[in-house]
């Protein structure tokens, strides 16, 4: 079986617990306004590789990632769910822990097998408000929330990721609602609030794509601190 790989990171420190090897899968149908990797959207692009080729690329780094594992990210890895499932099973034979970084935007009938096989999920919740989710990504959030509900049902550990974007998700009332909502889930072990950044703007320019956030400023340290305090109040951020 072969999949389409966008890129890899051999020493990832922000994509799950410990030091991790990160496999970025190609393809995503979300159109996040703030995406810093729009070059990962195209389906059946990138480098076509077999599961064996990907695993062989990971093996030299086993000593480095012994405290962490492998994170399968994207793009949206669940678009290549059969390949990802096969990769997880092979990595487990090497006693490697595997996290899947996903927006949970596919129906459970497609994603459930991968969720069951993974050791944990890094779940990107774009917005709790459904209309805001559509504005930010072009897609409603029902599948994402269903994914979280399913993880709760099967006791699958989840780290939540949420990007703070001025004029969109930098809304303290909405952040309070999200924190209160997430506090009801025992499966949620951690929440990471990620500040919107400008580092991917050049890719939109190079690809000739319409980027709507050129004038949007990055959130200030004070704004991020205030946002984090909301989640600390619910014991979601230490």
């Amino acid at each position: 079986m072969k999949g389409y790989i966008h890129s890899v990171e051999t020493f990832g420190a922000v994509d799950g617990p410990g030091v991790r090897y990160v496999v970025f899968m190609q393809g995503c149908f979300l159109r996040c306004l703030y995406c810093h990797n729009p070059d990962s959207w195209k389906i059946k692009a990138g480098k076509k590789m077999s599961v064996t080729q990907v695993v062989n690329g990971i093996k030299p780094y086993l000593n480095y990632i012994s405290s962490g594992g492998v994170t399968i990210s994207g793009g949206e890895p669940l678009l290549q769910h059969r390949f990802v499932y096969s990769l997880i099973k092979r990595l487990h034979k090497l006693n490697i822990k595997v996290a899947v970084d996903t927006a949970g935007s596919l129906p459970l009938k497609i994603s459930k097998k991968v969720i069951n096989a993974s050791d944990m999920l890094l779940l990107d919740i774009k917005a709790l408000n459904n209309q805001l989710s559509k504005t930010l990504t072009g897609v409603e959030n029902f599948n994402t929330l269903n994914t979280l509900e399913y993880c709760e049902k099967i006791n699958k550990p989840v780290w939540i990721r949420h990007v703070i974007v001025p004029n969109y998700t930098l809304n303290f009332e909405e952040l309070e609602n999200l924190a209160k909502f997430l506090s009801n889930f025992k499966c949620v072990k951690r929440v990471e609030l990620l500040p919107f950044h400008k580092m991917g703007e050049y890719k939109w320019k190079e690809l000739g794509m319409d980027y709507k956030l050129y004038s949007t400023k990055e959130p200030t340290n004070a704004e991020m601190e205030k946002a984090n305090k909301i989640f600390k109040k619910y014991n979601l951020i230490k």
Side-chain angles (χ1 to χ4, degrees), residues 147-159:
T147 297
L148 180 58
E149 293 279 1
Y150 181 68
C151 289
E152 180 76 359
K153 180 179 178 180
I154 65 171
N155 298 313
K156 184 69 62 177
V158 177
W159 284 14

Side-chain angles (χ1 to χ4, degrees), residues 133-234:
S133 176
K134 290 176 66 177
T135 298
L136 280 170
T137 72
V139 176
E140 296 181 332
N141 65 6
F142 298 129
N143 286 329
T144 301
L145 300 184
N146 285 341
T147 297
L148 180 58
E149 293 279 1
Y150 181 68
C151 289
E152 180 76 359
K153 180 179 178 180
I154 65 171
N155 298 313
K156 184 69 62 177
V158 177
W159 284 14
I160 299 293
R161 289 174 150 184
H162 184 63
V163 181
I164 303 299
V165 187
N167 304 320
Y168 294 93
T169 56
L170 184 55
N171 178 309
F172 296 113
E173 182 178 351
E174 291 290 344
L175 289 170
E176 182 82 32
N177 291 339
L178 178 60
K180 187 175 182 179
F181 172 76
L182 293 175
S183 69
N184 295 310
F185 291 85
K186 294 179 180 178
C187 68
V188 174
K189 306 303 180 184
R190 180 170 175 170
V191 173
E192 295 180 325
L193 300 183
L194 308 175
F196 162 74
H197 61 73
K198 314 283 278 184
M199 290 185 287
E201 282 187 0
Y202 76 95
K203 293 184 179 181
W204 291 75
K205 290 181 181 178
E206 290 179 351
L207 294 168
M209 298 170 66
D210 181 23
Y211 187 61
K212 302 184 185 304
L213 302 184
Y214 284 121
S215 61
T216 300
K217 296 182 179 179
E218 296 177 349
T220 66
N221 290 337
E223 288 169 334
M224 289 303 300
E225 183 177 348
K226 185 174 179 179
N228 276 287
K229 280 184 178 179
I230 293 172
F231 287 81
K232 287 179 180 179
K233 182 173 66 174
Y234 290 92

Side-chain angles (χ1 to χ4, degrees), residues 20 39 124 193 233:
R20 310 188 71 82
D39 51 318
D124 301 319
L193 300 183
K233 182 173 66 174

Side-chain angles (χ1 to χ4, degrees), residues 18-236:
V19 176
R20 310 188 71 82
Y21 188 104
V22 187
V23 180
F24 295 95
M25 305 297 297
Q26 179 73 29
C28 186
F29 65 89
L30 298 186
R31 294 295 179 261
C32 298
L33 299 181
Y34 52 81
C35 181
H36 60 279
N37 282 322
D39 51 318
S40 70
W41 289 358
K42 189 176 180 180
I43 296 171
K44 294 187 177 180
K47 186 176 182 180
K48 194 173 184 179
M49 299 178 69
S50 68
V51 170
T52 297
Q53 286 175 307
V54 175
V55 171
N56 286 343
I58 294 170
K59 284 181 178 178
Y61 300 92
L62 291 180
N63 288 337
Y64 295 100
I65 65 174
S66 60
S67 65
V70 170
T71 296
I72 305 175
S73 186
E76 173 48 71
L78 294 178
L79 281 177
Q80 301 187 62
H81 57 96
R82 293 184 180 87
F83 180 88
V84 170
Y85 177 78
S86 296
L87 179 57
I88 291 172
K89 301 302 284 187
R90 286 283 296 278
L91 291 172
H92 279 169
K93 288 181 180 179
L94 297 173
N95 295 316
I96 299 172
K97 299 283 188 181
V98 184
V100 175
D101 183 3
T102 175
S105 49
L106 277 79
L108 282 171
K109 65 181 180 180
I110 295 175
S111 63
K112 186 180 290 188
K113 194 173 181 179
V114 170
I115 295 171
N116 290 343
S118 68
D119 294 289
M120 67 177 295
L121 250 62
L122 307 179
L123 183 62
D124 301 319
I125 294 183
K126 310 299 183 178
L128 183 60
N129 179 293
N130 190 48
Q131 186 56 52
L132 180 55
S133 176
K134 290 176 66 177
T135 298
L136 280 170
T137 72
V139 176
E140 296 181 332
N141 65 6
F142 298 129
N143 286 329
T144 301
L145 300 184
N146 285 341
T147 297
L148 180 58
E149 293 279 1
Y150 181 68
C151 289
E152 180 76 359
K153 180 179 178 180
I154 65 171
N155 298 313
K156 184 69 62 177
V158 177
W159 284 14
I160 299 293
R161 289 174 150 184
H162 184 63
V163 181
I164 303 299
V165 187
N167 304 320
Y168 294 93
T169 56
L170 184 55
N171 178 309
F172 296 113
E173 182 178 351
E174 291 290 344
L175 289 170
E176 182 82 32
N177 291 339
L178 178 60
K180 187 175 182 179
F181 172 76
L182 293 175
S183 69
N184 295 310
F185 291 85
K186 294 179 180 178
C187 68
V188 174
K189 306 303 180 184
R190 180 170 175 170
V191 173
E192 295 180 325
L193 300 183
L194 308 175
F196 162 74
H197 61 73
K198 314 283 278 184
M199 290 185 287
E201 282 187 0
Y202 76 95
K203 293 184 179 181
W204 291 75
K205 290 181 181 178
E206 290 179 351
L207 294 168
M209 298 170 66
D210 181 23
Y211 187 61
K212 302 184 185 304
L213 302 184
Y214 284 121
S215 61
T216 300
K217 296 182 179 179
E218 296 177 349
T220 66
N221 290 337
E223 288 169 334
M224 289 303 300
E225 183 177 348
K226 185 174 179 179
N228 276 287
K229 280 184 178 179
I230 293 172
F231 287 81
K232 287 179 180 179
K233 182 173 66 174
Y234 290 92
N235 296 315
L236 294 166

